[in-house]
């Protein structure tokens, strides 16, 4: 009698536990179902690819943000770094670098342009790490500062103007940049492939490497990590540098899509990344989180936004609704921890009786 | 049946925390107008019980009765309405406000918007007069001595309209002897007024002199309740520690080798705190367990931190295996063979968001990895071995670390260190906050580590019993200096206690 009771309550608890764990996916499925019923064009291949392309664009900063938030920090500068990166790529392709010693202007091939831009993004991120890890600034303030700086540089590069026609020219030997955002491989856009690659890299680092384990440790308990012999500032240099480089990927994909770069690109994109990370179950207090969760979170936000466009909800209401979803998710996050604690305590009390 | 003679009574009060029971079916009661002392070792559950009665935390199960009536104490306000007030060990006063403002802050007043300072001062002096101790109600709290601040706390409680029960959590711990006398007089006055006092203290003599009843808690259980005039110090001590008493864990067969670590004239200076350590010199031998005894703030932890490279501003020489070492940080020290198990297990030892496996392997991860990629097979093998060696009781290695009891959590922290293959292990209060059974297991493990795995161990503790039962030699620190080193027959409670209080 007693035994059956126990096993019954146990299964009930594990169902609750499962629902809690899969909550974001459930929300996503519900959203897809609702929009599918309301709109005729929602369930089409073209729309699916469109949604995926939108997700891919933000997934890079989302993955970087997940890393940063797992360490207990935040990176407000990713939107600006994305903007800056587009401008750097645009500058290198359109204007090249003037080197008087070589008697003219040097243009780089597209892969070199991409590499340089990635490095600049990573260096900007590492500057964040310097402020946060070495100078012990609160991440919010440090990255707020670099957010302004990067946006300023983005405008300074062109004097606030747009770099048009990033396709490059035969004569300069720098064609091919537009493939990032407009190319296809096996009929699927290149940016989706890059997203898949980045998800794999991100998840691999977090789950399989020493570095990943240290990233969680730094966010879970900085002091314990330090006393365990982890070089905590090195970990932060990697994490913020990675976030910066991924922001550069987002910036280049965005520029490549339009085959032009504009200095205002990426404004407020950091908020998407943060919202997706939180929706994906990463705790703002650090120490937990998964790349996959963030990508699902991004799908929720994107399906919601794209779906609302398709069914004709005004842009203003879209913002209100997105905000509500994020707030509800966080409230749920706070309470699910309490529910979990209660379940485990109950089980412990029962075990003893 | 509930007797209304009891001002407060609890029935089967239980507080469950993840992994431990802080209170276990406690039936406590206190007679109206008496002083009731609650004693017990650290972690026995005294503070938990008091915090539940004061509404600071909620019980997991059980009932509370005030004057025979069942009550729900969900928050501080509920407790206040029942006439229960608590004075915490760390006082909760606003140093920037005056005595009278402190007394009346948070109290409902008729005029809710405008503060009537004059009336506050008048009423504050009335209350302070009742306590027979002159304090100027217009003085700022920051100008008062600690003892006087305590009195302000009492006055604050008395300003409650219907104070029935006053809980005092170690009120004398930071007072001078003269101040203690004043406070005890005030406690007697409060008793005259018919207020029931619940009094937590570690000072057993003081407990016997002031209280009418003594309640002893051990490992979350109420183990004894007796009239104070029926008992003596030995009785309390025996009840607190339990029958297990002192046992010797020293291994006299092991061969203590030559010096592995020599510290000469270690001094630590910090601009804001001044001299923290002064000319500390000692040596640690192979296979030796060196006890470090001293009161809080005597510099024990700081010595360990200096050895781990966690402190700036140190002078003196440190020799490891006959070679001088300097300019090291904690990573250097860990790879050299040092490992420190910190005092604050929750705050400095564990990553609470991670699993048992992830916590255990944290310091030694690169040993299981090729090119930074962890081999799960290698890691699990090492983890399984250490879990068996230390007899850590776990469900699955993937369970969260917080699902373990305090003692097993501590074994995980020690295991994390052992996986780095250290030769010098620094343990800072390793048995703090673990139950008595786990303590004895830890003593056994520590003794075996030194004898069988040839580890040299520094064992910091503020409990005389345990340090005497585990150490091969004891160094006593007082105010940043070594005040005694004891070995063999000289290792007695009297000797180390005397040395610890040396000026």
């Amino acid at each position: 009698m007693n035994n059956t009771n126990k096993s019954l309550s146990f299964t009930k608890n594990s169902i609750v536990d499962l629902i809690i764990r899969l909550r974001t996916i459930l929300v996503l499925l519900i959203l897809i179902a609702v929009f599918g019923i309301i709109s005729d064009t929602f369930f089409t291949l073209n729309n699916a690819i469109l949604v995926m392309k939108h997700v891919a664009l933000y997934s890079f900063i989302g993955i970087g943000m997940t890393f940063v938030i797992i360490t207990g920090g935040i990176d407000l500068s990713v939107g600006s770094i994305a903007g800056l990166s587009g401008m750097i790529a645009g500058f290198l392709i359109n204007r090249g670098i003037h080197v008087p010693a070589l008697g003219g202007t040097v243009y780089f091939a597209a892969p070199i342009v991409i590499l340089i831009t990635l490095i600049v993004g990573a260096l900007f991120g590492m500057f964040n790490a310097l402020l946060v890890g070495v100078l012990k600034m609160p991440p919010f303030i440090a990255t707020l500062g670099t957010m302004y700086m990067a946006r300023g540089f983005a405008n300074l590069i062109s004097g606030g103007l747009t770099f048009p026609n990033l396709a490059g020219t035969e004569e300069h030997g720098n064609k091919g940049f537009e493939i990032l955002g407009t190319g296809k491989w096996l009929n699927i856009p290149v940016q989706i492939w890059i997203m898949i690659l980045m998800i794999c890299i991100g998840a691999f680092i977090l789950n399989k490497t020493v570095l990943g384990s240290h990233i969680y440790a730094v966010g879970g308990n900085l002091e314990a990590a330090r006393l365990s012999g982890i070089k905590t500032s090195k970990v932060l240099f990697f994490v913020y540098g990675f976030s910066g480089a991924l922001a550069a990927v987002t910036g280049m994909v965005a520029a490549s899509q339009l085959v032009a770069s504009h200095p205002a690109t990426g404004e407020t994109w950091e908020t998407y990344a943060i919202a997706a990370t939180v929706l994906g179950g990463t705790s703002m207090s650090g120490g937990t989180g998964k790349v996959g969760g963030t990508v699902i979170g991004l799908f929720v936000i994107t399906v919601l936004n794209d779906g609302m466009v398709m069914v004709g909800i005004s842009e203003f209401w879209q913002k209100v609704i997105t905000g509500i979803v994020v707030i509800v998710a966080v409230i749920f996050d706070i309470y699910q921890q309490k529910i979990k604690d209660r379940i485990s305590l109950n089980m412990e009390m029962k075990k003893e009786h | 049946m509930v007797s209304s003679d009891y001002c407060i009574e609890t029935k089967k009060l239980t507080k469950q925390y993840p992994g431990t029971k802080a209170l276990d079916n406690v039936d406590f009661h206190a007679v109206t107008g008496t002083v009731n002392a609650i004693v017990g070792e650290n972690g026995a559950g005294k503070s938990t019980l008091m915090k539940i009665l004061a509404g600071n935390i909620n019980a997991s199960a059980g009932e509370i009765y005030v004057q025979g009536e069942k009550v729900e104490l969900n928050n501080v306000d509920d407790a206040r309405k029942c006439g229960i007030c608590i004075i915490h060990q760390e006082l909760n006063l606003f140093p920037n406000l005056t005595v009278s403002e402190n007394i009346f802050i948070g109290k409902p007043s008729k005029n809710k918007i405008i503060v009537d300072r004059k009336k506050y001062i008048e009423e504050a002096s009335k209350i302070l007069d009742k306590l027979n101790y002159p304090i100027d109600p217009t003085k700022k709290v920051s100008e008062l001595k600690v003892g006087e601040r305590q009195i302000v706390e009492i006055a604050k409680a008395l300003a409650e309209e219907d104070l029935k029960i006053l809980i005092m959590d170690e009120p004398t711990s930071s007072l001078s002897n003269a101040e203690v006398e004043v406070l005890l007089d005030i406690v007697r006055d409060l008793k005259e007024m018919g207020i029931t006092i619940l009094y937590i203290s570690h000072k057993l003599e003081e407990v016997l002199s002031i209280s009418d009843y003594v309640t002893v808690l051990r490992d979350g259980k109420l183990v004894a309740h007796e009239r104070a005039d029926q008992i003596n110090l030995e009785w309390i001590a025996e009840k607190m520690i339990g029958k297990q008493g002192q046992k010797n864990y020293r291994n006299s067969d092991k061969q203590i080798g030559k010096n592995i670590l020599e510290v000469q004239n270690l001094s630590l200076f910090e601009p804001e705190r001044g001299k923290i350590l002064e000319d500390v010199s000692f040596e640690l031998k192979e296979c030796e367990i060196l006890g470090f005894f001293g009161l809080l703030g005597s510099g024990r932890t700081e010595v360990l931190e200096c050895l781990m490279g966690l402190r700036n501003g140190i002078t003196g020489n440190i020799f490891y295996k006959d070679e001088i070492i300097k300019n090291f940080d904690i990573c250097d020290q860990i790879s050299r063979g040092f490992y420190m198990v910190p005092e604050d297990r929750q705050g400095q030892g564990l990553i609470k968001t991670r699993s048992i496996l992830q916590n255990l392997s944290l310091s030694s991860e690169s040993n299981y990895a090729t090119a930074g990629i962890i081999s799960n097979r290698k890691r699990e093998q090492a983890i399984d071995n250490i879990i068996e060696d230390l007899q850590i009781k776990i469900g699955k290695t993937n369970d969260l670390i917080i699902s373990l009891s305090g003692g097993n959590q501590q074994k995980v922290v020690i295991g994390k260190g052992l996986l780095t293959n250290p030769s010098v292990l620094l343990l800072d209060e390793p048995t703090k906050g673990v139950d008595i059974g786990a303590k004895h297991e830890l003593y056994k493990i520590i003794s075996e580590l030194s004898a069988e795995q040839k580890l040299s161990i520094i064992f910091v503790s503020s409990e005389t019993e345990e340090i005497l039962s585990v150490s091969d030699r004891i160094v006593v620190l007082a105010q940043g200096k070594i005040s005694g080193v004891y070995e063999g027959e000289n290792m007695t409670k009297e000797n180390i206690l005397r040395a610890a209080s040396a000026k």
Side-chain angles (χ1 to χ4, degrees), chain B residues 121-351:
Chain B
I121 294 167
E122 238 169 65
E123 295 198 3
S125 356
K126 262 191 229 161
I127 294 169
L128 289 165
D129 282 348
K130 269 201 248 176
L131 295 174
N132 289 324
Y133 192 84
I135 296 175
D136 179 358
T138 59
K139 249 191 182 174
K140 281 222 168 112
V141 163
S142 57
E143 297 165 23
L144 300 181
K145 292 197 202 91
V146 184
E148 293 174 316
R149 292 183 194 191
Q150 192 93 50
I151 292 166
V152 175
E153 279 276 12
I154 295 173
K156 198 173 144 189
L158 278 178
E160 291 294 335
E161 277 188 12
D162 188 23
L163 179 71
K164 294 191 195 96
I165 299 159
L166 182 63
I167 303 171
M168 302 170 89
D169 191 355
E170 298 209 38
T172 60
S173 59
S174 48
L175 301 189
S176 69
N177 285 339
E179 287 174 321
V180 170
E181 284 310 313
V182 172
L183 186 84
L184 293 184
D185 275 342
I186 289 176
V187 169
R188 288 184 192 106
D189 289 345
L190 292 172
K191 186 180 144 186
E192 294 285 299
M193 296 179 208
I195 292 167
T196 310
I197 315 258
L198 307 184
Y199 191 94
I200 297 185
S201 179
H202 278 298
K203 299 181 181 169
L204 301 183
E205 280 161 25
E206 179 188 298
V207 160
L208 281 175
S209 78
I210 187 73
S211 51
D212 301 302
Y213 292 93
V214 176
T215 302
V216 185
L217 293 178
R218 187 173 74 226
D219 296 330
K221 295 193 179 75
L222 194 154
V223 291
H225 177 80
E226 195 53 75
R227 287 185 67 93
D229 51 16
Q230 308 281 323
I231 58 174
N232 56 23
L233 281 179
E234 284 71 38
W235 183 91
I236 301 180
E238 191 200 303
K239 296 286 178 197
M240 273 171 58
I241 300 165
K243 287 275 178 276
Q244 273 168 298
Q246 191 181 351
K247 208 180 144 195
N248 197 340
Y249 287 94
R250 230 183 322 281
N251 185 330
S252 43
D253 297 336
K254 72 178 173 192
Q255 285 287 317
I256 291 181
K258 57 180 174 28
N259 289 355
I260 186 166
L261 178 72
E262 245 184 284
V263 175
Q264 290 174 352
N265 302 90
L266 178 69
S267 296
L268 173 64
F269 182 83
E270 267 187 8
E272 58 267 35
R273 283 173 59 197
K275 270 187 183 161
I276 298 166
L277 294 175
E278 208 178 333
D279 287 334
V280 171
S281 303
F282 64 93
E283 69 283 335
L284 176 68
K285 301 188 172 84
E286 277 171 3
C287 301
E288 183 183 41
I289 301 178
L290 182 64
F292 258 52
F293 185 74
L295 302 174
L296 264 180
S298 58
R300 302 165 310 179
T301 301
E302 284 80 359
V303 172
L304 302 193
E305 287 174 350
C306 289
L307 291 176
M308 290 310 290
L310 293 166
R311 289 288 188 150
N312 294 323
I314 64 173
T315 56
N317 294 324
I318 300 172
F319 295 90
Y320 175 64
K321 293 184 174 161
D322 295 328
E323 267 175 53
I324 193 157
I325 53 173
K326 47 177 69 166
N327 296 331
F328 45 80
D329 67 12
I330 181 155
C331 300
D332 300 333
Q333 287 304 81
I334 289 176
S335 45
R336 196 171 264 143
F338 286 67
Y339 203 88
M340 180 175 81
V341 174
E343 176 180 4
D344 178 1
R345 185 166 57 245
Q346 305 287 332
Q348 302 179 301
L350 301 172
I351 315 283

Side-chain angles (χ1 to χ4, degrees), chain B residues 355-375:
Chain B
S355 71
I356 297 165
L357 177 124
Q358 286 157 341
N359 269 282
L360 269 169
S361 63
L362 193 59
S363 286
S364 53
E365 233 138 34
S366 40
N367 298 351
Y368 326 119
T370 1
I373 299 162
I374 296 170
S375 148

Side-chain angles (χ1 to χ4, degrees), chain A residues 136-219:
Chain A
K136 309 287 175 208
M137 272 176 80
F140 190 95
I141 305 299
T143 59
L144 184 71
T146 49
M147 177 182 102
Y148 287 124
M149 282 170 60
R151 186 63 64 197
F153 285 133
N155 280 289
L156 282 169
I157 286 175
S158 66
L161 300 174
T162 301
F163 286 123
N165 191 20
L166 299 189
T169 58
E170 222 36 275
E171 151 198 11
H172 294 143
N174 58 3
K175 281 175 81 80
F177 184 75
E178 78 282 5
I179 290 173
L180 275 183
T182 57
K184 282 190 176 183
W185 186 55
L186 300 179
N187 237 356
I188 293 173
V190 168
Q191 68 195 80
I192 294 176
W193 288 112
I194 306 177
M195 168 175 78
I196 293 168
L197 180 70
M198 288 303 166
I199 293 170
C200 293
I201 292 177
F204 182 79
I205 292 174
L206 286 181
N207 294 326
K208 297 286 176 203
T209 66
V210 175
L211 177 65
S213 160
H214 289 184
I215 290 170
Y216 283 109
V218 164

Side-chain angles (χ1 to χ4, degrees), chain A residues 3 47 99 151 247 282 293 298 303 306 343:
Chain A
N3 242 338
N47 188 47
V99 186
R151 186 63 64 197
T282 300
L298 262 182
V303 167
D306 290 6
I343 290 174

